[in-house]
Amino acid sequence: MNKKSHKKKKRRNRNDGRNKENIIEADVATKQNGDAKEPQIEQDKPKQDLCYEIKHSDVMGRYLVATRDIKAGEVIIEAPAVVVGPCSGCGLICLGCYRELDETSLTKCVGCKWPLCSSSCQGLGKYTGHSTYECETLKSVTPDYSNIEDLKDSYQALAPLRCLLLKKEDPDKWAALSAMEAHNDIRRARGDIWPMNDRNVVQRLKKWDLEYDEEEIHTVCGILEVNAFEVGVSGANARALYDEAYLLAHDCTPSTTHTDAEGRPARPLTVRASIPHRAGDIISLCYAYTLQGTLKRREHLRLSKFFECSCLRCADPTELGTAASAFRCPRCGARVLPADPLRAPAPWRCARCPYEMAAAAVLLLLQRLTDEYEQIDANDVAGFESFLTKYRNVLHDSHYLFLSAKHSLSQLYGKVSDFMIHEMSEEQLNRKVEICRDLMKVFDVIEPGYSRLRGITLYELHAPLMVLTTRDFERKAITKENLRNRLKEIVSYLSESALILGFEPRHSPEGLMAGAARHALSKIKTWEHIIGKIS
């Protein structure tokens, strides 16, 4: 699935990595007598306890359907990882916990000499990290620390290798993995993916003198590409396969949300209903990034998941009324939308006048604007605001590039230098409120219910409202009744945010935000001696 978290973009500095010093060895000899046993999540629930069943169609393949009513927030699936490994294209990371490493100061595994974060890494000796059988296999493959770039490239072969090792080391997990779809015929016909995997994985394993069948290697590459979830709260450095969860159908307005418990044994994935389901409803998640327009989402799904999405959002030129892909007409200012969003070459037309854009012109414009947007530093408030101002006559207010800029601003206002929440002017506070409300209008449609995006934005919305309310109260510019109404509104935002983000791991950024929301709620209760009961 490679379902991404909604995180700020991160820039990395690359260097040639030569002549690295200060490399110390981690002693894992005590773990070489067998992998530490990880308690397993109970996967085989009695059939009557399951709230879903597996169905099949020629169009969708296998997918999950609710067998009874499911409440929002209810756990649908909790499954241990089948395999966990580095993401393709990641930097230099620890093989045990997937943390990014400083190239100038590495710890080496005493067994295989591959990079670790420390000699006490929590992932040593575990199948979800650097297992003893992987260590034994890599003993004959000494990494070349004089060529860091090649070492990074070699990480592309590690997740497939971990899959292949299961055939001997854990036949049950190998059987679960083998049931997943690889789309070999489609991938083989493509001129990019198959040769790339041959170069980066098949030939690499051959170079390492590891004897595996080429077709089998390509198959596990395909299984990872089609079914893996990106996992980890500190960045997408790892990907994992999960039984059952890989059967969730795709929809660009997903009905579930999911979290992985990085610190728990077997690194389980928990899938929850973000909205209520009725018996017979398809249970879905989004394989793409919901904060993208239809062109980009469908391109991602076509290139990396090998299907053409025709969900309700993709089929609707307005994207369910959000106008998340709409341009502004240069003639009359109305919305310019695709004539047929399921046909990429279709022209784009103004909803009010005869103005029309060719699909090729749309792609060129989008690429130019995207390139410019991606040059903005992740903490540059003025840069994001300037982008919004510069293209206000080109892009609709809720165009996905504007949504991305506003999403960043919603979290920067109140938290970065010169824009700390209690130092912000009334104008700046109202700007943050406006941005959060703009986002909520769209998130309520594209990620409805108990979604991470909504939970974070609700928390961000409460902060400026609370500061504005407090300032009005202190200068006696608000009546007691207005104060009560404002606090009720703030309490409703905090309560829902605490509920949604409370599903996240406690020490993740979202989990900490849930704690902050609960703390803020308790502080608001102190106002009740002034205005009476709030809720």
Side-chain angles (χ1 to χ4, degrees):
M1 313 288 174
N2 292 335
K3 179 70 169 72
K4 295 181 182 295
S5 300
H6 303 291
K7 301 193 184 295
K8 292 191 184 76
K9 50 190 176 181
K10 182 167 56 175
R11 293 182 170 82
R12 291 184 185 147
N13 294 318
R14 294 174 67 90
N15 53 50
D16 64 3
R18 296 180 183 276
N19 301 319
K20 299 303 178 188
E21 304 295 338
N22 305 322
I23 299 177
I24 57 176
E25 292 192 357
D27 184 1
V28 295
T30 58
K31 302 188 185 229
Q32 296 301 312
N33 294 325
D35 288 350
K37 293 297 180 185
E38 298 185 58
Q40 295 297 303
I41 303 300
E42 183 58 50
Q43 217 175 351
D44 300 320
K45 291 183 179 180
K47 207 160 184 80
Q48 64 267 26
D49 290 348
L50 293 178
C51 60
Y52 62 86
E53 63 180 347
I54 302 171
K55 291 203 169 184
H56 180 274
S57 78
D58 292 339
V59 175
M60 298 173 61
R62 291 174 293 171
Y63 60 100
L64 301 184
V65 170
T67 54
R68 60 168 173 80
D69 291 355
I70 303 172
K71 297 176 182 177
E74 185 175 345
V75 173
I76 298 173
I77 296 170
E78 188 172 31
V82 174
V83 69
V84 186
C87 281
S88 182
C90 68
L92 197 67
I93 62 173
C94 171
L95 293 198
C97 67
Y98 312 101
R99 186 183 309 163
E100 286 192 35
L101 300 176
D102 180 354
E103 297 172 15
T104 62
S105 182
L106 298 172
T107 297
K108 292 196 298 183
C109 172
V110 71
C112 64
K113 313 302 180 187
W114 279 70
L116 298 171
C117 64
S118 74
S119 59
S120 57
C121 174
Q122 63 182 4
L124 286 176
K126 296 179 180 177
Y127 85 91
T128 53
H130 185 44
S131 65
T132 55
Y133 52 81
E134 176 181 71
C135 185
E136 193 65 31
T137 302
L138 292 178
K139 277 183 180 178
S140 62
V141 187
T142 306
D144 182 2
Y145 286 97
S146 68
N147 189 347
I148 291 291
E149 292 308 311
D150 184 66
L151 178 56
K152 290 177 185 177
D153 287 343
S154 70
Y155 274 55
Q156 296 181 63
L158 291 180
L161 174 61
R162 289 182 180 184
C163 292
L164 293 163
L165 287 170
L166 291 176
K167 190 172 186 179
K168 174 185 174 185
E169 302 294 340
D170 196 327
D172 288 343
K173 288 188 176 66
W174 174 255
L177 179 154
S178 299
M180 300 179 190
E181 182 58 72
H183 289 305
N184 276 357
D185 291 342
I186 297 173
R187 292 169 53 256
R188 197 192 310 271
R190 287 262 298 268
D192 52 354
I193 295 177
W194 200 270
M196 181 181 68
N197 284 331
D198 188 74
R199 181 174 64 253
N200 296 330
V201 183
V202 176
Q203 298 308 317
R204 178 78 63 172
L205 294 181
K206 279 187 176 180
K207 181 182 175 183
W208 291 349
D209 292 327
L210 300 177
E211 298 296 325
Y212 289 106
D213 177 72
E214 288 192 17
E215 187 75 11
E216 202 163 61
I217 298 172
H218 278 291
T219 296
V220 298
C221 287
I223 287 170
L224 286 163
E225 287 158 8
V226 173
N227 302 285
F229 289 76
E230 287 184 359
V231 294
V233 298
S234 55
N237 291 323
R239 50 182 171 163
L241 295 172
Y242 294 93
D243 201 9
E244 298 296 296
Y246 77 94
L247 293 170
L248 287 164
H250 162 79
D251 197 293
C252 290
T253 53
S255 67
T256 66
T257 186
H258 61 273
T259 56
D260 69 284
E262 191 170 6
R264 286 177 57 193
R267 198 165 188 156
L269 185 82
T270 301
V271 178
R272 292 179 186 272
S274 53
I275 58 174
H277 292 63
R278 302 295 298 272
D281 286 349
I282 293 174
I283 303 171
S284 66
L285 57 72
C286 186
Y287 301 174
Y289 186 32
T290 54
L291 279 188
Q292 281 185 331
T294 296
L295 274 176
K296 285 292 182 184
R297 290 194 320 279
R298 296 188 82 235
E299 178 185 45
H300 168 76
L301 295 168
R302 183 175 65 255
L303 294 178
S304 64
K305 304 302 172 188
F306 318 110
F307 70 91
E308 297 278 358
C309 184
S310 56
C311 71
L312 290 176
R313 181 180 174 191
C314 285
D316 181 359
T318 72
E319 299 198 36
L320 305 179
T322 63
S325 292
F327 295 94
R328 286 202 183 277
C329 177
R331 295 180 185 172
C332 70
R335 297 185 302 186
V336 177
L337 298 166
D340 183 356
L342 298 184
R343 195 169 63 85
W348 289 52
R349 296 188 181 121
C350 177
R352 185 187 301 159
C353 78
Y355 179 77
E356 185 174 293
M357 290 177 72
V362 169
L363 290 173
L364 283 172
L365 178 57
L366 271 179
Q367 190 58 58
R368 182 170 68 82
L369 296 181
T370 301
D371 289 345
E372 184 172 338
Y373 174 78
E374 290 180 346
Q375 292 306 307
I376 304 171
D377 184 82
N379 294 313
D380 187 358
V381 170
F384 287 118
E385 289 286 16
S386 176
F387 183 84
L388 293 172
T389 301
K390 182 177 180 180
Y391 294 110
R392 66 185 182 277
N393 294 323
V394 178
L395 301 175
H396 189 272
D397 289 345
S398 55
H399 188 278
Y400 71 87
L401 287 174
F402 274 12
L403 291 176
S404 293
K406 290 177 180 180
H407 181 50
S408 293
L409 286 168
S410 73
Q411 297 177 72
L412 293 174
Y413 275 126
K415 295 179 184 173
V416 296
S417 179
D418 298 327
F419 296 98
M420 300 305 290
I421 192 71
H422 292 290
E423 299 168 1
M424 289 167 65
S425 67
E426 188 168 320
E427 181 182 7
Q428 290 169 337
L429 289 166
N430 281 314
R431 175 60 176 154
K432 175 160 177 153
V433 171
E434 177 187 31
I435 286 169
C436 289
R437 293 197 192 282
D438 286 349
L439 290 171
M440 286 302 298
K441 289 175 187 174
V442 178
F443 295 167
D444 283 343
V445 176
I446 65 172
E447 286 212 13
Y450 293 171
S451 72
R452 189 178 293 110
L453 269 180
R454 289 188 71 256
I456 291 171
T457 307
L458 285 166
Y459 181 83
E460 297 295 348
L461 177 54
H462 106 274
L465 288 173
M466 193 70 226
V467 174
L468 288 166
T469 299
T470 303
R471 288 181 185 177
D472 282 349
F473 175 75
E474 288 173 346
R475 64 172 184 257
K476 297 181 171 60
I478 186 172
T479 67
K480 189 175 285 190
E481 186 60 30
N482 283 340
L483 176 59
R484 181 183 290 107
N485 289 335
R486 282 207 207 171
L487 291 176
K488 280 184 178 179
E489 180 185 13
I490 293 167
V491 165
S492 72
Y493 296 151
L494 281 172
S495 298
E496 189 174 3
S497 177
L499 174 62
I500 295 170
L501 300 180
F503 297 137
E504 302 292 322
R506 192 157 56 95
H507 295 295
S508 69
E510 295 85 1
L512 294 172
M513 192 175 283
R518 289 190 290 268
H519 178 68
L521 279 169
S522 68
K523 289 181 68 175
I524 290 177
K525 288 293 182 183
T526 63
W527 288 72
E528 291 188 338
H529 75 278
I530 300 172
I531 60 173
K533 194 164 180 64
I534 296 170
S535 57

